[in-house]
Amino acid sequence: MTTSFRLHAILLSVGVLCSTLHSQLQAQEIIPIDAENIGRMGIIFAPVRAVDSSAGARFPATVINSPAAVATGVALYPGIVNEWLHSVGDSVESGAVLASIRSPEILPVQNEWISAVTALENARFEQGKDDTLFAQGVISRQRLDQTNRALQQATFAEQAARASLQQAGFNAARLDALRQNATGLGLFYITAPTSGVLAQRSVQTGAVVEADHPIATVNGSDNRWISAHVPARAALGLVTGQLLSVVGSAEQLTLRQIDSVVDSRDQTVELLAEFTGSTASSVGQIVSVILPPNGDGVLIPDRAVVHSGNETTVYVRAAGGVEARVLPLTSIGADYLARTGVAAGEEVV
Protein backbone atom coordinates (compact mmCIF):
# COMPACT_ATOMS: atom_id res chain seq x y z
CA MET A 1 0.00 0.00 0.00
CA THR A 2 1.50 3.37 -1.03
CA THR A 3 1.92 6.22 1.42
CA SER A 4 -0.47 8.39 -0.61
CA PHE A 5 -3.16 5.73 -0.65
CA ARG A 6 -2.83 4.98 3.06
CA LEU A 7 -3.06 8.66 4.05
CA HIS A 8 -6.03 9.14 1.79
CA ALA A 9 -7.61 6.25 3.66
CA ILE A 10 -6.87 8.04 6.95
CA LEU A 11 -8.75 11.11 5.77
CA LEU A 12 -11.71 9.01 4.65
CA SER A 13 -11.74 7.18 7.96
CA VAL A 14 -11.90 10.45 9.88
CA GLY A 15 -14.79 11.58 7.71
CA VAL A 16 -16.82 8.52 6.67
CA LEU A 17 -14.91 5.21 6.21
CA CYS A 18 -13.34 4.82 9.67
CA SER A 19 -14.02 1.10 10.04
CA THR A 20 -12.18 0.16 6.80
CA LEU A 21 -9.02 2.05 7.74
CA HIS A 22 -9.07 1.05 11.38
CA SER A 23 -8.83 -2.62 10.44
CA GLN A 24 -5.59 -1.86 8.57
CA LEU A 25 -3.82 0.23 11.24
CA GLN A 26 -2.46 -0.64 14.63
CA ALA A 27 -2.30 1.74 17.59
CA GLN A 28 0.79 3.95 17.56
CA GLU A 29 1.57 2.95 13.96
CA ILE A 30 3.20 5.82 12.06
CA ILE A 31 2.24 6.29 8.42
CA PRO A 32 5.06 8.13 6.58
CA ILE A 33 3.98 11.24 4.66
CA ASP A 34 5.98 14.27 3.66
CA ALA A 35 4.89 17.92 3.61
CA GLU A 36 4.40 17.90 -0.16
CA ASN A 37 1.87 15.07 -0.01
CA ILE A 38 0.17 16.66 3.01
CA GLY A 39 -0.41 19.81 0.97
CA ARG A 40 -1.35 17.98 -2.21
CA MET A 41 -3.92 15.80 -0.46
CA GLY A 42 -5.44 18.71 1.50
CA ILE A 43 -4.82 17.15 4.89
CA ILE A 44 -5.69 19.63 7.66
CA PHE A 45 -4.14 19.47 11.13
CA ALA A 46 -5.30 21.42 14.16
CA PRO A 47 -3.58 21.71 17.55
CA VAL A 48 -5.47 20.41 20.56
CA ARG A 49 -5.72 22.48 23.72
CA ALA A 50 -6.12 21.90 27.41
CA VAL A 51 -9.73 22.01 28.59
CA ASP A 52 -10.92 25.18 30.31
CA SER A 53 -14.23 26.80 31.23
CA SER A 54 -15.16 27.21 27.55
CA ALA A 55 -15.16 23.45 26.89
CA GLY A 56 -17.86 21.10 28.04
CA ALA A 57 -21.52 20.15 27.81
CA ARG A 58 -24.04 22.92 27.14
CA PHE A 59 -27.31 23.40 28.99
CA PRO A 60 -30.02 26.10 28.88
CA ALA A 61 -30.25 28.44 31.86
CA THR A 62 -32.53 31.28 32.90
CA VAL A 63 -31.14 34.67 33.95
CA ILE A 64 -32.46 35.65 37.40
CA ASN A 65 -31.93 38.37 39.97
CA SER A 66 -29.41 37.76 42.70
CA PRO A 67 -31.17 35.56 45.31
CA ALA A 68 -29.18 37.26 48.06
CA ALA A 69 -30.45 40.72 47.10
CA VAL A 70 -34.10 40.06 46.30
CA ALA A 71 -36.68 41.38 48.78
CA THR A 72 -40.43 40.87 48.55
CA GLY A 73 -43.25 43.15 49.66
CA VAL A 74 -46.32 41.25 50.92
CA ALA A 75 -49.89 42.23 51.73
CA LEU A 76 -50.52 42.34 55.49
CA TYR A 77 -54.29 42.24 55.02
CA PRO A 78 -56.67 40.98 52.34
CA GLY A 79 -57.97 43.61 49.95
CA ILE A 80 -58.02 45.02 46.42
CA VAL A 81 -55.03 46.61 44.72
CA ASN A 82 -55.95 50.29 44.51
CA GLU A 83 -52.98 51.77 42.63
CA TRP A 84 -49.43 51.11 41.50
CA LEU A 85 -47.07 54.04 41.96
CA HIS A 86 -44.03 52.53 40.21
CA SER A 87 -43.41 50.48 37.09
CA VAL A 88 -41.16 47.45 36.68
CA GLY A 89 -37.60 48.66 36.11
CA ASP A 90 -37.98 51.82 38.23
CA SER A 91 -35.31 52.59 40.80
CA VAL A 92 -36.85 52.91 44.26
CA GLU A 93 -35.58 53.91 47.67
CA SER A 94 -36.15 51.84 50.78
CA GLY A 95 -39.58 52.72 52.22
CA ALA A 96 -40.95 54.16 48.97
CA VAL A 97 -44.61 53.32 48.37
CA LEU A 98 -44.94 50.81 45.54
CA ALA A 99 -48.69 50.20 45.68
CA SER A 100 -51.76 50.96 47.77
CA ILE A 101 -54.35 48.34 48.72
CA ARG A 102 -57.89 49.02 49.88
CA SER A 103 -58.94 46.80 52.76
CA PRO A 104 -61.74 46.96 55.35
CA GLU A 105 -59.45 45.20 57.80
CA ILE A 106 -57.14 48.21 58.06
CA LEU A 107 -59.94 50.50 59.26
CA PRO A 108 -60.04 49.20 62.88
CA VAL A 109 -56.25 49.54 63.07
CA GLN A 110 -56.41 53.13 61.84
CA ASN A 111 -59.26 54.01 64.20
CA GLU A 112 -57.39 52.47 67.11
CA TRP A 113 -54.37 54.63 66.43
CA ILE A 114 -56.43 57.82 66.01
CA SER A 115 -58.17 57.10 69.32
CA ALA A 116 -54.82 56.36 70.96
CA VAL A 117 -53.40 59.68 69.76
CA THR A 118 -56.41 61.55 71.19
CA ALA A 119 -56.09 59.69 74.49
CA LEU A 120 -52.37 60.48 74.62
CA GLU A 121 -52.97 64.19 74.05
CA ASN A 122 -55.57 64.20 76.84
CA ALA A 123 -53.20 62.35 79.16
CA ARG A 124 -50.44 64.87 78.45
CA PHE A 125 -52.80 67.74 79.17
CA GLU A 126 -53.88 66.19 82.47
CA GLN A 127 -50.30 65.48 83.47
CA GLY A 128 -49.25 69.04 82.74
CA LYS A 129 -52.18 70.45 84.71
CA ASP A 130 -51.64 68.15 87.71
CA ASP A 131 -47.94 68.87 87.71
CA THR A 132 -48.74 72.56 88.10
CA LEU A 133 -51.35 71.90 90.80
CA PHE A 134 -48.95 69.71 92.73
CA ALA A 135 -46.29 72.43 92.61
CA GLN A 136 -48.87 74.84 94.04
CA GLY A 137 -49.76 72.38 96.80
CA VAL A 138 -53.30 71.92 95.54
CA ILE A 139 -53.16 68.11 94.92
CA SER A 140 -51.35 65.26 96.62
CA ARG A 141 -48.38 63.24 95.42
CA GLN A 142 -50.66 60.22 95.07
CA ARG A 143 -52.89 62.09 92.61
CA LEU A 144 -49.86 63.18 90.55
CA ASP A 145 -48.51 59.60 90.49
CA GLN A 146 -51.85 58.36 89.16
CA THR A 147 -51.76 60.96 86.40
CA ASN A 148 -48.19 60.03 85.47
CA ARG A 149 -49.16 56.36 85.22
CA ALA A 150 -52.11 57.22 83.00
CA LEU A 151 -49.78 59.19 80.72
CA GLN A 152 -47.38 56.26 80.56
CA GLN A 153 -50.16 53.83 79.63
CA ALA A 154 -51.48 56.19 76.95
CA THR A 155 -47.96 56.52 75.51
CA PHE A 156 -47.54 52.74 75.26
CA ALA A 157 -50.97 52.36 73.64
CA GLU A 158 -50.18 54.99 71.00
CA GLN A 159 -46.78 53.45 70.25
CA ALA A 160 -48.32 49.98 69.76
CA ALA A 161 -51.04 51.31 67.44
CA ARG A 162 -48.46 53.37 65.52
CA ALA A 163 -46.23 50.31 65.04
CA SER A 164 -49.13 48.40 63.46
CA LEU A 165 -49.68 51.18 60.94
CA GLN A 166 -45.97 51.53 60.25
CA GLN A 167 -45.94 47.85 59.25
CA ALA A 168 -48.79 48.73 56.87
CA GLY A 169 -46.66 51.37 55.15
CA PHE A 170 -47.55 54.52 57.14
CA ASN A 171 -44.57 56.77 57.83
CA ALA A 172 -44.77 59.94 59.91
CA ALA A 173 -46.06 62.06 57.02
CA ARG A 174 -48.76 59.54 56.05
CA LEU A 175 -49.81 59.16 59.68
CA ASP A 176 -50.19 62.91 60.00
CA ALA A 177 -52.24 63.09 56.77
CA LEU A 178 -54.42 60.23 57.98
CA ARG A 179 -55.29 62.02 61.21
CA GLN A 180 -55.58 65.53 59.84
CA ASN A 181 -57.71 64.92 56.72
CA ALA A 182 -58.34 61.14 56.57
CA THR A 183 -55.92 60.67 53.64
CA GLY A 184 -55.32 56.94 53.26
CA LEU A 185 -58.35 55.93 55.31
CA GLY A 186 -59.17 52.32 54.42
CA LEU A 187 -55.86 51.89 52.61
CA PHE A 188 -52.55 50.29 53.46
CA TYR A 189 -49.32 50.47 51.47
CA ILE A 190 -46.75 48.09 50.00
CA THR A 191 -43.37 49.76 50.46
CA ALA A 192 -39.95 48.90 49.05
CA PRO A 193 -38.20 46.69 51.64
CA THR A 194 -34.83 47.80 50.29
CA SER A 195 -33.37 50.27 47.83
CA GLY A 196 -33.02 48.84 44.33
CA VAL A 197 -34.99 48.17 41.17
CA LEU A 198 -38.62 47.09 41.07
CA ALA A 199 -38.19 43.71 39.40
CA GLN A 200 -41.72 42.32 39.50
CA ARG A 201 -45.34 43.32 40.09
CA SER A 202 -47.15 40.06 40.79
CA VAL A 203 -50.71 41.48 40.67
CA GLN A 204 -52.52 44.11 38.64
CA THR A 205 -54.59 47.11 39.71
CA GLY A 206 -58.05 45.94 40.75
CA ALA A 207 -56.90 42.42 41.63
CA VAL A 208 -58.05 40.80 44.87
CA VAL A 209 -55.22 39.71 47.15
CA GLU A 210 -55.13 37.63 50.30
CA ALA A 211 -53.17 38.35 53.45
CA ASP A 212 -49.45 37.45 53.19
CA HIS A 213 -49.67 37.37 49.38
CA PRO A 214 -46.43 38.52 47.62
CA ILE A 215 -47.12 41.78 45.79
CA ALA A 216 -43.79 43.10 44.53
CA THR A 217 -40.15 42.08 44.25
CA VAL A 218 -37.28 44.53 44.57
CA ASN A 219 -33.79 43.61 43.45
CA GLY A 220 -31.32 45.38 45.69
CA SER A 221 -28.32 44.52 43.52
CA ASP A 222 -27.29 44.97 39.89
CA ASN A 223 -25.77 41.49 39.89
CA ARG A 224 -27.41 38.88 37.69
CA TRP A 225 -27.43 35.13 38.30
CA ILE A 226 -28.55 32.11 36.28
CA SER A 227 -30.58 29.09 37.27
CA ALA A 228 -30.01 25.85 35.35
CA HIS A 229 -31.55 22.40 35.80
CA VAL A 230 -29.05 19.82 34.56
CA PRO A 231 -28.88 16.00 34.70
CA ALA A 232 -27.48 14.89 38.04
CA ARG A 233 -24.62 13.04 36.30
CA ALA A 234 -23.59 16.29 34.55
CA ALA A 235 -23.17 17.98 37.94
CA LEU A 236 -20.81 15.33 39.27
CA GLY A 237 -17.42 16.83 40.01
CA LEU A 238 -18.64 20.43 39.91
CA VAL A 239 -17.64 22.54 42.92
CA THR A 240 -18.84 25.91 44.13
CA GLY A 241 -16.52 28.70 43.10
CA GLN A 242 -15.82 27.04 39.75
CA LEU A 243 -15.96 29.20 36.62
CA LEU A 244 -18.56 28.52 33.94
CA SER A 245 -18.91 30.09 30.50
CA VAL A 246 -21.79 31.49 28.47
CA VAL A 247 -22.01 30.27 24.89
CA GLY A 248 -21.47 32.99 22.30
CA SER A 249 -19.98 35.56 24.66
CA ALA A 250 -16.92 36.26 26.77
CA GLU A 251 -19.05 36.37 29.93
CA GLN A 252 -18.23 34.03 32.77
CA LEU A 253 -20.13 32.81 35.80
CA THR A 254 -19.06 31.71 39.26
CA LEU A 255 -20.90 28.62 40.47
CA ARG A 256 -22.52 29.51 43.81
CA GLN A 257 -24.87 26.65 44.64
CA ILE A 258 -25.41 23.00 43.66
CA ASP A 259 -28.59 21.39 44.93
CA SER A 260 -27.94 18.20 46.87
CA VAL A 261 -31.45 16.84 46.19
CA VAL A 262 -32.18 15.25 42.81
CA ASP A 263 -35.60 15.98 41.31
CA SER A 264 -37.25 12.56 41.07
CA ARG A 265 -39.35 13.63 38.08
CA ASP A 266 -36.49 14.22 35.65
CA GLN A 267 -33.33 13.31 37.61
CA THR A 268 -31.98 16.86 37.50
CA VAL A 269 -30.40 19.20 40.03
CA GLU A 270 -30.51 22.98 40.08
CA LEU A 271 -27.36 25.03 39.71
CA LEU A 272 -27.14 28.71 40.67
CA ALA A 273 -24.27 30.79 39.31
CA GLU A 274 -23.43 34.50 39.43
CA PHE A 275 -22.11 36.57 36.52
CA THR A 276 -18.57 37.66 37.35
CA GLY A 277 -19.19 41.12 35.89
CA SER A 278 -21.90 43.22 34.32
CA THR A 279 -24.03 41.51 31.69
CA ALA A 280 -26.30 42.58 28.89
CA SER A 281 -28.62 39.65 29.64
CA SER A 282 -32.03 40.55 31.05
CA VAL A 283 -33.90 38.78 33.82
CA GLY A 284 -35.92 35.94 32.29
CA GLN A 285 -33.64 35.58 29.26
CA ILE A 286 -32.53 32.06 28.31
CA VAL A 287 -28.79 31.58 27.79
CA SER A 288 -26.65 28.51 27.11
CA VAL A 289 -24.15 27.64 29.83
CA ILE A 290 -21.08 25.42 29.45
CA LEU A 291 -20.31 22.98 32.26
CA PRO A 292 -16.58 22.18 32.17
CA PRO A 293 -15.45 18.56 32.61
CA ASN A 294 -14.22 17.25 35.91
CA GLY A 295 -10.41 17.30 36.05
CA ASP A 296 -7.63 18.18 33.65
CA GLY A 297 -7.06 16.90 30.14
CA VAL A 298 -6.98 17.79 26.46
CA LEU A 299 -9.97 18.68 24.31
CA ILE A 300 -10.35 16.43 21.25
CA PRO A 301 -12.80 17.65 18.58
CA ASP A 302 -15.49 15.17 17.67
CA ARG A 303 -14.51 15.17 13.99
CA ALA A 304 -10.96 14.09 14.90
CA VAL A 305 -12.11 10.84 16.54
CA VAL A 306 -12.52 7.50 14.74
CA HIS A 307 -14.83 4.98 16.42
CA SER A 308 -14.45 1.21 16.01
CA GLY A 309 -16.38 -0.88 18.47
CA ASN A 310 -15.34 0.23 21.95
CA GLU A 311 -12.09 1.78 20.68
CA THR A 312 -11.56 5.44 19.85
CA THR A 313 -8.59 6.40 17.69
CA VAL A 314 -7.04 9.82 17.08
CA TYR A 315 -4.54 10.52 14.28
CA VAL A 316 -1.72 12.75 15.53
CA ARG A 317 0.94 14.51 13.45
CA ALA A 318 4.34 12.96 14.04
CA ALA A 319 7.84 13.47 12.64
CA GLY A 320 7.61 12.41 9.02
CA GLY A 321 3.99 11.30 9.07
CA VAL A 322 0.81 10.57 11.04
CA GLU A 323 0.53 8.38 14.14
CA ALA A 324 -2.63 6.44 15.02
CA ARG A 325 -3.28 6.48 18.78
CA VAL A 326 -5.99 4.51 20.53
CA LEU A 327 -7.03 6.75 23.44
CA PRO A 328 -9.53 6.43 26.29
CA LEU A 329 -11.89 9.39 25.75
CA THR A 330 -14.72 10.89 27.77
CA SER A 331 -17.62 12.63 26.04
CA ILE A 332 -18.06 16.28 27.10
CA GLY A 333 -20.91 17.64 25.05
CA ALA A 334 -20.08 17.64 21.35
CA ASP A 335 -16.38 16.87 21.86
CA TYR A 336 -14.17 14.57 23.92
CA LEU A 337 -11.75 14.78 26.83
CA ALA A 338 -8.44 12.89 26.69
CA ARG A 339 -6.73 12.63 30.07
CA THR A 340 -3.71 10.68 28.77
CA GLY A 341 -2.02 9.82 25.48
CA VAL A 342 -1.93 13.26 23.89
CA ALA A 343 -0.57 16.62 25.00
CA ALA A 344 -1.83 20.16 24.53
CA GLY A 345 -0.32 21.65 21.38
CA GLU A 346 -0.02 18.37 19.46
CA GLU A 347 -1.77 18.45 16.09
CA VAL A 348 -4.49 16.03 15.07
CA VAL A 349 -6.04 15.26 11.68
Side-chain angles (χ1 to χ4, degrees):
M1 180 180 293
T2 67
T3 298
S4 175
F5 176 79
R6 296 184 69 187
L7 203 32
H8 183 63
I10 291 175
L11 295 175
L12 292 176
S13 71
V14 173
V16 289
L17 299 178
C18 58
S19 60
T20 300
L21 172 66
H22 193 78
S23 64
Q24 301 177 22
L25 294 176
Q26 300 296 320
Q28 279 69 46
E29 179 183 352
I30 296 181
I31 299 88
I33 178 70
D34 55 28
E36 180 181 351
N37 282 320
I38 289 176
R40 182 173 60 81
M41 299 181 65
I43 301 174
I44 297 175
F45 295 94
V48 294
R49 60 182 176 86
V51 293
D52 54 23
S53 60
S54 66
R58 302 181 179 191
F59 297 95
T62 304
V63 179
I64 62 174
N65 287 311
S66 168
V70 171
T72 302
V74 300
L76 291 182
Y77 307 96
I80 297 175
V81 178
N82 180 67
E83 180 185 15
W84 278 101
L85 283 78
H86 288 279
S87 301
V88 172
D90 286 354
S91 295
V92 294
E93 296 296 326
S94 178
V97 174
L98 304 177
S100 61
I101 297 178
R102 189 168 299 280
S103 172
E105 294 196 18
I106 194 64
L107 284 170
V109 182
Q110 293 173 332
N111 290 330
E112 181 183 359
W113 175 74
I114 293 173
S115 298
V117 172
T118 302
L120 177 59
E121 290 179 344
N122 291 335
R124 284 173 177 165
F125 175 79
E126 291 298 326
Q127 195 278 337
K129 182 182 68 174
D130 284 1
D131 195 45
T132 301
L133 293 175
F134 176 77
Q136 294 174 350
V138 176
I139 62 174
S140 66
R141 165 61 70 179
Q142 183 179 7
R143 167 69 181 275
L144 180 61
D145 289 344
Q146 291 175 346
T147 305
N148 286 336
R149 284 194 294 272
L151 174 60
Q152 187 178 49
Q153 291 172 355
T155 300
F156 290 156
E158 189 279 334
Q159 289 175 344
R162 177 188 292 266
S164 295
L165 286 183
Q166 286 174 333
Q167 290 180 335
F170 285 85
N171 59 12
R174 286 188 281 276
L175 286 171
D176 186 62
L178 173 65
R179 186 170 183 236
Q180 296 299 325
N181 51 33
T183 300
L185 191 65
L187 297 174
F188 69 93
Y189 303 99
I190 304 298
T191 58
T194 185
S195 297
V197 175
L198 179 59
Q200 183 181 30
R201 301 191 328 189
S202 58
V203 292
Q204 301 299 320
T205 301
V208 177
V209 294
E210 299 296 328
D212 300 322
H213 188 281
I215 301 297
T217 301
V218 176
N219 182 27
S221 171
D222 292 334
N223 292 347
R224 294 285 187 267
W225 288 45
I226 60 94
S227 168
H229 290 81
V230 305
R233 57 179 175 76
L236 293 176
L238 294 177
V239 294
T240 55
Q242 188 170 356
L243 287 179
L244 311 179
S245 295
V246 178
V247 176
S249 78
E251 295 175 335
Q252 288 191 313
L253 301 144
T254 302
L255 186 59
R256 297 299 189 194
Q257 178 178 314
I258 306 170
D259 275 3
S260 57
V261 178
V262 178
D263 191 326
S264 59
R265 296 170 299 179
D266 54 13
Q267 296 299 300
T268 62
V269 296
E270 183 182 20
L271 306 180
L272 294 178
E274 180 183 7
F275 282 95
T276 57
S278 59
T279 176
S281 300
S282 303
V283 173
Q285 183 175 340
I286 304 298
V287 297
S288 185
V289 175
I290 301 173
L291 300 187
N294 179 24
D296 298 328
V298 171
L299 181 67
I300 305 295
D302 173 74
R303 60 185 179 275
V305 179
V306 174
H307 299 267
S308 178
N310 294 326
E311 287 189 345
T312 48
T313 304
V314 176
Y315 296 95
V316 183
R317 188 169 196 169
V322 175
E323 179 182 358
R325 298 182 189 174
V326 176
L327 303 177
L329 302 177
T330 302
S331 176
I332 52 169
D335 298 315
Y336 291 87
L337 173 69
R339 301 188 188 280
T340 60
V342 64
E346 286 193 284
E347 296 183 326
V348 298
V349 176

